[in-house]
Structures are given as C-alpha cells and as structure tokens.
Amino acid sequence: MSSTPTRVLPDAVLFDMDGTLIDSEGLWAEAEAEVVAELGGVWTEEDHRRNVGGSADKVGRYVAGLPGVRAEPREVITRMQEAFGRRLAEGADPRPGAKELVAAVAASPVRSALVTSTERHLIDTAIGAIGLESFDLSVGGDEVDANKPHPEPYLKAARLLGVDPARCVAVEDSVVGVASAMAAGCATVAVPMMVPIEPAEGLTVIDTLEGVDLDWLAEVIQRHTARSAGV
C-alpha cells in the first residue's frame, strides 16, 4: 500500500511589516521627503530606495549626513516618526494576500511573530488593518541591540517563541530584511515591493502573497531543511 507523505509545517512564520504585510513604504517616503525638506535638504527616490527596510537609527544618520541638513540623527528620527504617524492615522492597506496568510497561520498550530524595524509605539497603529492580536508576539526595532540587517531581530523572535530559527519561515520585502532573516538561518521568502531582490541560494522570491498557504509554506521549510542537511 502507498501512503501520502506527511505535511511538515514550519515551527513558526516570522513576518516583516512595512512593505511586506502593509503598503506603508510610500507613506515612509512621503514622511522622509517632508522632514528632509524642512531640515534644508533634498530627498530623492534613490535616497528612499537606499533606506528601504532600514532601522530608524540608520535612516536618521543617513539624513543627518545629507548636504544642507542641519540636524542631529535623533531629531531626524523624531520628526520622521511624527510625520509617518500622522499618515498612519488614515490607515495603511494590507498588501495583496497578506491578511489572508496571517489569518491562516493564526488559525493553525504554527506560531507567528511580527519582526519589524519600526519602533514599538508605531506598531499597533501601523498593523491595524491586520491586527497585532493575529501574532503570538512582536519584536520592534527599538527592542533589539542590533537591527536589520543584523540577525538579532529574527533570532530574538525565535528565542521568545521557543523555536529553532532554522525551522522558521521568514517573510520579507527588502534587501536589508532578507539579509537579516537569512543570517539568522531562517527559510526566507522575499516579496519585493520597491527594490528588486535577486534570487539566491536559500531564498525564495515571489511576486505576491496571494495564494500562499500552509501547504506552500510546508514546501518552503522542507526544501530549506533538505538543503541544510545537504540532501
């Protein structure tokens, strides 16, 4: 008699927020351009692309170093978060398929975490269209010593969930986020939004989260496990 192979699910799914689950990168770009102009500089699309997925500290230092800008990084960060928060008050739309995937994971035995570079005080408002309660826990950008592209955010989320990072699927949209997740040892899925991401060993690149379900995630973690074992 033949038997159907048992589906092996990941231990957890670790989701980035901005650009991955919610369509907020445009809001960040508007906030950045507003603040840089107020501080005497010019913000271009290329400047935004260079900072997609970056931590508040990284962006603050970048802006403070622009020609014409007269402000310390902490002032830049405060102004940008205020400008972003004003835009968030009107809500950020979920990216296609994001709400459905998060709900499917929440209804399953698979644990989940939100792992974002956004600071804690903005997370609840930003993820409002999906709901922070959909996740077992969340890790904010101001709750780690080293932010993305360092692996610490994903390592911390896995540690708090009590799971092995190598048994987790991370879902990201930026080069910085992908580097963080892969360095942590996660099976990594990229859904690029504003910056193209090239395929790489151990990285699955897709156009949209629409149609992504638990069976698909099971295939991702099985490929990752087999690759890690050298099969």
Side-chain angles (χ1 to χ4, degrees):
M1 294 177 61
S2 61
S3 59
T4 303
T6 302
R7 181 180 66 170
V8 179
L9 293 170
D11 290 349
V13 183
L14 312 177
F15 293 97
D16 172 55
M17 184 175 71
D18 293 298
T20 300
L21 295 183
I22 58 171
D23 192 357
S24 57
E25 288 297 352
L27 302 182
W28 273 116
E30 291 174 8
E32 291 159 349
E34 174 189 312
V35 171
V36 172
E38 290 174 351
L39 294 174
V42 176
W43 188 255
T44 67
E45 183 176 339
E46 179 58 28
D47 289 318
H48 178 66
R49 287 167 61 89
R50 289 180 180 178
N51 287 278
V52 169
S55 67
D57 287 342
K58 175 180 179 293
V59 179
R61 290 194 302 271
Y62 182 92
V63 171
L66 289 174
V69 171
R70 293 173 297 279
E72 294 299 316
R74 191 65 247 177
E75 179 186 353
V76 173
I77 292 167
T78 299
R79 284 176 174 244
M80 283 193 173
Q81 289 177 341
E82 290 173 350
F84 181 60
R86 289 195 299 272
R87 288 162 173 80
L88 275 182
E90 300 177 4
D93 294 330
R95 287 201 69 190
K99 192 169 186 176
E100 294 79 5
L101 177 58
V102 171
V105 174
S108 77
V110 178
R111 308 201 70 195
S112 68
L114 193 66
V115 185
T116 175
S117 293
T118 295
E119 295 191 1
R120 170 59 56 190
H121 67 99
L122 289 171
I123 292 175
D124 195 50
T125 303
I127 200 65
I130 292 175
L132 191 58
E133 69 279 359
S134 300
F135 308 89
D136 290 294
L137 59 88
S138 57
V139 175
D142 54 341
E143 297 171 337
V144 291
D145 293 328
N147 215 324
K148 302 175 185 178
H150 195 280
E152 183 180 347
Y154 282 102
L155 292 175
K156 180 174 181 177
R159 183 174 68 253
L160 292 174
L161 288 172
V163 296
D164 181 352
R167 292 286 313 153
C168 296
V169 175
V171 187
E172 273 283 356
D173 77 299
S174 69
V175 173
V176 168
V178 164
S180 174
M182 293 186 71
C186 302
T188 306
V189 176
V191 195
M193 184 174 183
M194 300 194 75
V195 180
I197 298 176
E198 296 297 323
E201 182 75 17
L203 174 65
T204 302
V205 181
I206 57 177
D207 294 329
T208 177
L209 291 175
E210 288 183 301
V212 173
D213 57 16
L214 291 170
D215 287 334
W216 191 86
L217 294 175
E219 292 176 4
V220 169
I221 199 65
Q222 286 171 336
R223 289 197 300 270
H224 182 67
T225 301
R227 186 182 303 110
S228 299
V231 176

